[in-house]
Amino acid sequence: PASTRCRVSLTLTPSQADHGCLYGELCTPEGASAVRFVLRADGKLYLRTTTEVPVGEYQSGEPLTITLEADCTTFCCTLALNGEPLRESDGSVKQFRFMRAANQISRLVLRTGPYLHTPTLDMDPEVLPESILPSSDEPVQEVVYTIKQVEFAALSEKN
């Protein structure tokens, strides 16, 4: 269900840490991304705010639990890795700005590649320029992320 405050927790095990990416997004009911995390090919976890911020590392074969608490009233979220919240130097829990304002969060989207803006339904598929989907017929190295658990919980205003 859509919520102005929510907690999303995901436990996964990447089978690689040297190629491929996993994108995770908390989205509005309309599908707009408010919060994005990325497990990048360099073995680092990034959180997308106004830019991609490195927030941790991951290892191939090691379970990783990512917990995000999003608050649409402040357009901020917190991040915990393996149960440990990221903290400021003064010990307070670190707050990250949304990448885009959102009134509600309703879904978690996972994908193993960047969001494609093209082709669109308005484009003629017979005349698509090569630049839209370059090397689309070329095989890529397989990436595997074993997802053990996903939890999505609406939070009350008092939590």
Side-chain angles (χ1 to χ4, degrees):
S3 177
T4 58
R5 294 188 69 236
C6 65
R7 178 183 304 116
V8 178
S9 185
L10 169 72
T11 301
L12 58 87
T13 304
S15 294
Q16 66 287 312
D18 60 353
H19 66 278
C21 292
L22 177 70
Y23 292 77
E25 297 177 345
L26 300 184
C27 296
T28 67
E30 298 78 26
S33 303
V35 178
R36 177 183 299 147
F37 65 85
V38 183
L39 278 74
R40 296 213 339 214
D42 59 3
K44 293 184 179 160
L45 173 68
Y46 289 78
L47 190 66
R48 175 78 160 92
T49 59
T50 54
T51 186
E52 280 192 353
V53 178
V55 293
E57 295 184 357
Y58 69 94
Q59 301 293 323
S60 174
E62 300 278 328
L64 175 65
T65 300
I66 300 168
T67 304
L68 289 159
E69 285 194 17
D71 187 341
C72 295
T73 61
T74 61
F75 306 119
C76 287
C77 68
T78 61
L79 173 68
L81 299 176
N82 295 325
E84 200 56 44
L86 272 63
R87 299 192 179 275
E88 299 283 1
S89 57
D90 66 1
S92 63
V93 175
K94 189 167 188 149
Q95 298 278 324
F96 296 94
R97 298 290 294 171
F98 284 6
M99 59 187 278
R100 176 181 294 123
N103 292 326
Q104 292 182 316
I105 301 293
S106 67
R107 60 184 104 163
L108 169 67
V109 175
L110 299 172
R111 68 176 175 276
T112 55
Y115 180 81
L116 298 176
H117 298 281
T118 55
T120 66
L121 294 175
D122 297 329
M123 300 173 85
D124 182 352
E126 299 300 321
V127 293
L128 291 177
E130 176 65 25
S131 63
I132 290 181
L133 297 171
S135 305
S136 59
D137 291 334
E138 298 296 320
V140 296
Q141 193 172 4
E142 181 179 73
V143 294
V144 176
Y145 300 91
T146 304
I147 299 172
K148 181 178 179 184
Q149 183 174 358
V150 177
E151 296 177 2
F152 191 110
L155 302 175
S156 68
E157 296 300 317
K158 296 180 182 178
N159 280 357

